[in-house]
């Protein structure tokens, strides 16, 4: 299939590369842009620099067909898609510098009738900011279409979800919304829902804050249960038998580059009015500090009783079960903090072979060598392991049959 539409995708990471490769396989001429030369070279060789099922097949066939080319510079296209990082600065202040610099980079190539889409998760007002930056760069913004279409794919299922998920499109004008919806409808089988730019931005932040608030509830319950000497997983399992109650599972905090980050974009703009969303972030961060204190106290008790220092096995480093992604992972923070406190730890992460700071040890060897076993992540490899005569601290319910 060939399309006469040309697409320029700016940012070839977890979102931009799958999107570009998918569009190229659907017949669009895709020009992918990344500031990292090695990323550009790898893609032009038909290879990938990130781990995502099926992506290699899509990229290879896109490059072989001539429909996908990568470069460090943008070029004239019908549609521009921005998929660059949106992290935060110190103090949880949103950082849209990458979006602004990507916008400045594409400005010289934009012509009347073009569509400019921001896919990065962004603070409310960022799409309007893109419009402003383009105008400052001399682009006639009255004759282009600028819109936000937040991405909500689940890593590990990106190639399927890019097509099947419902999408939200919010333009800076109704005409921009319409033009952008028409574009997404050429490759998305889910519903493409229309709104304005600010609502689209807030919708994505709301989705992640909703998860964060609900996890915070579970984490707070787990702390209260510990105080009241109740098994939190049994409690949650029982409460969830109510037909309209669905409490999530507690853990050692919240990590990843979305749920632990995006609610701060709301808090930063919302100030004192973002009470629950801020509190949820604080509760989830507190759960991590609380977990550290529990481990330190257990190590101290061990020392008092056995007249020697305890060896602690930190079971899991990733930010959630059964992945190798360590971004914003509470387990990594906990492990590092214990080391700084002078505690001897053994790091276990079945999804990693090596790590630049920790020696990764097999779970069975770690359990054998350690005095205190701390379950930080509920990886499938940890399920069903029987431990005798050692202290076990379980922050993720892996030893609880009731879930
Ligand atoms: N990864 C996910 O699962 C996911 C899901 C939903 C939304 N998002 C959002 O999508 C956005 C992108 O995330 P990602 O995971 O793809 O990030 P990523 O770090 O994997 O990729 C971003 C890419 O952009 C490149 N880049 C940075 N500045 C650039 C510039 N000025 N011009 C060209 N390239 C530039 C980087 O080199 C990198 O390759 C973020 O806002 C993120 O929050 C990500």
């Amino acid at each position: 299939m060939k399309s006469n539409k040309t697409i320029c995708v700016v940012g070839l990471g977890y979102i931009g590369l799958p999107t570009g490769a998918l569009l190229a396989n659907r017949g669009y001429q895709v020009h992918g842009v990344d500031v990292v030369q090695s990323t550009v070279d790898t893609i032009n060789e038909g290879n990938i620099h990130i781990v995502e099922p099926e992506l290699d097949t899509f990229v290879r066939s896109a490059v072989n067909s001539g429909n996908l080319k990568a470069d460090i510079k943008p070029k004239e296209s019908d549609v521009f898609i921005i998929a660059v990082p949106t992290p935060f600065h110190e103090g949880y202040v949103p950082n849209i510098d990458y979006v602004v610099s990507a916008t400045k980079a594409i400005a010289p190539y934009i012509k009347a009738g073009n569509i400019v889409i921001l896919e990065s998760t962004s603070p409310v007002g960022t799409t309007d900011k893109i419009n402003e930056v383009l105008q400052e760069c001399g682009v006639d913004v009255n004759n282009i279409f600028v819109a936000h279409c937040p991405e909500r794919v689940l890593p590990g299922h990106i190639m399927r979800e890019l097509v099947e998920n419902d999408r939200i499109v919010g333009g800076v004008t109704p005409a921009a919304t319409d033009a952008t919806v028409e574009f997404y409808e050429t490759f998305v089988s889910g519903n493409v829902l229309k709104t304005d730019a600010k609502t689209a931005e807030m919708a994505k932040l709301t989705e992640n804050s909703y998860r964060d608030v609900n996890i915070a509830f579970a984490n707070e319950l787990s702390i209260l249960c510990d105080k009241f000497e109740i098994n939190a997983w049994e409690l949650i399992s029982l409460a969830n038998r109510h037909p309209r109650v669905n409490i999530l599972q507690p853990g050692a905090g919240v990590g990843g580059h979305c749920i632990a980050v995006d609610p701060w974009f709301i808090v930063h703009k919302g100030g004192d009015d973002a009470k629950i969303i801020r509190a949820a972030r604080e509760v989830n961060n507190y759960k991590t500090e609380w977990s550290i204190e529990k481990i330190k106290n257990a190590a101290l008790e061990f020392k008092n009783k056995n007249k020697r220092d305890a060896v602690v096995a930190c079971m899991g480093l990733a930010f959630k079960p059964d992945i190798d992604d360590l971004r914003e992972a509470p387990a990594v923070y906990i492990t590092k903090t214990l080391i700084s406190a002078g505690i001897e730890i053994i790091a276990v992460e079945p999804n990693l072979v090596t790590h630049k700071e920790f020696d990764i040890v097999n779970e069975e060897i770690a359990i054998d060598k350690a005095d205190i076993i701390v379950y930080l992540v509920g990886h499938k490899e940890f399920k069903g392991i029987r431990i005798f005569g050692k202290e076990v601290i379980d922050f993720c319910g892996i030893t609880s049959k009731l879930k």
Side-chain angles (χ1 to χ4, degrees):
M1 189 178 30
K2 279 271 168 197
S3 165
N4 53 12
K5 270 219 163 66
T6 54
I7 321 274
C8 178
V9 180
V10 188
L12 298 174
Y14 283 93
I15 298 302
L17 183 57
T19 304
L22 173 73
L23 290 167
N25 278 277
R26 295 295 181 96
Y28 286 104
Q29 295 293 311
V30 179
H31 181 82
V33 180
D34 204 285
V35 284
V36 178
Q37 184 68 51
S38 59
T39 299
V40 168
D41 295 342
T42 304
I43 295 165
N44 282 334
E45 285 159 13
N47 296 319
I48 56 175
H49 62 296
I50 50 177
V51 179
E52 176 60 32
E54 292 183 67
L55 180 61
D56 53 347
T57 316
F58 273 81
V59 170
R60 203 174 315 116
S61 95
V63 170
N64 287 344
S65 70
N67 282 3
L68 174 64
K69 287 198 176 74
D71 197 351
I72 52 165
K73 278 203 169 123
K75 78 172 202 186
E76 289 194 349
S77 302
D78 299 308
V79 180
F80 292 83
I81 299 176
I82 299 173
V84 295
T86 44
F88 44 57
H89 294 293
E90 273 294 302
Y92 304 120
V93 176
N95 174 356
I96 61 160
D97 296 353
Y98 298 94
V99 173
V100 170
S101 90
T103 305
K104 286 181 179 163
I106 60 173
Y109 304 93
I110 295 177
K111 306 179 303 296
N114 286 173
I115 301 174
V116 177
I117 303 161
L118 172 66
E119 283 213 1
S120 305
T121 304
S122 299
V124 171
T126 309
T127 315
D128 284 333
K129 175 81 182 167
I130 289 180
N131 214 39
E132 248 175 69
V133 172
L134 289 176
Q135 199 163 18
E136 282 161 18
C137 293
V139 176
D140 177 5
V141 291
N142 295 320
N143 286 313
I144 61 164
F145 306 105
V146 178
H148 181 47
C149 179
E151 187 49 75
R152 27 156 77 146
V153 287
L154 179 68
H157 303 266
I158 294 182
M159 298 318 300
R160 181 176 54 78
E161 291 206 353
L162 273 177
V163 176
E164 292 181 4
N165 285 357
D166 289 348
R167 300 297 293 260
I168 296 172
V169 170
V172 296
T173 60
T177 308
D178 290 345
T180 308
V181 166
E182 201 182 305
F183 167 63
Y184 278 93
E185 282 180 339
T186 64
F187 65 96
V188 169
S189 65
N191 295 309
V192 186
L193 309 159
K194 290 184 190 185
T195 183
D196 54 67
K198 286 206 286 191
T199 310
E201 288 158 348
M202 188 63 177
K204 170 70 191 179
L205 303 181
T206 300
E207 290 159 18
N208 285 345
S209 300
Y210 173 85
R211 299 281 297 163
D212 200 44
V213 167
N214 281 278
I215 298 168
F217 183 69
N219 276 335
E220 183 160 300
L221 277 180
S222 71
I223 293 171
L224 293 169
C225 282
D226 187 77
K227 197 177 224 172
F228 305 158
E229 297 181 352
I230 291 170
N231 180 314
W233 286 273
E234 181 187 3
L235 171 89
I236 290 171
S237 153
L238 292 171
N240 280 348
R241 298 296 281 270
H242 182 291
R244 285 165 295 282
V245 172
N246 184 16
I247 304 166
L248 301 183
Q249 300 297 312
V254 169
H257 59 295
C258 290
I259 298 181
V261 174
D262 304 342
W264 289 117
F265 293 0
I266 297 181
V267 173
H268 183 257
K269 202 175 178 80
D272 287 346
D273 291 322
K275 288 189 181 15
I276 291 180
I277 296 169
R278 177 194 288 277
R281 277 286 68 239
E282 287 168 352
V283 167
N284 286 330
N285 285 345
Y286 172 65
K287 181 65 193 288
T288 305
E289 300 297 338
W290 181 90
S291 305
I292 291 168
E293 283 312 301
K294 289 282 287 182
I295 303 165
K296 281 186 182 167
N297 287 340
L300 197 60
E301 270 175 37
F302 180 93
K303 187 173 182 177
N304 290 341
K305 200 167 152 198
N306 298 281
K307 309 294 172 230
R308 67 173 176 86
D309 288 330
V311 176
V312 175
C314 291
M315 306 291 283
L317 294 173
F319 82 80
K320 64 177 182 178
D322 306 327
I323 58 163
D324 65 353
D325 194 336
L326 306 185
R327 286 182 285 181
E328 311 285 328
V332 171
Y333 175 75
I334 291 171
T335 306
K336 283 186 183 172
T337 309
L338 295 176
I339 294 171
S340 316
I343 294 176
E344 187 181 339
I345 67 101
I346 303 176
V348 179
E349 179 41 76
N351 299 293
L352 286 182
V353 180
T354 56
H355 185 275
K356 59 183 186 317
E357 284 170 78
F358 316 119
D359 284 335
I360 301 292
V361 177
N362 165 279
E363 52 271 20
E364 274 155 24
I365 296 173
I367 289 170
D368 186 44
K369 284 192 173 161
D371 303 301
I372 301 172
I373 321 299
V374 181
Y375 284 109
L376 297 172
V377 190
H379 289 312
K380 63 179 185 308
E381 289 82 357
F382 302 158
K383 286 184 186 152
I385 299 184
R386 290 186 173 275
I387 300 171
F388 300 101
K390 299 202 173 181
E391 183 168 358
V392 175
I393 308 177
D394 182 0
F395 294 117
C396 50
I398 197 96
T399 57
S400 178
K401 290 196 179 71
L402 295 154
K403 268 198 129 186

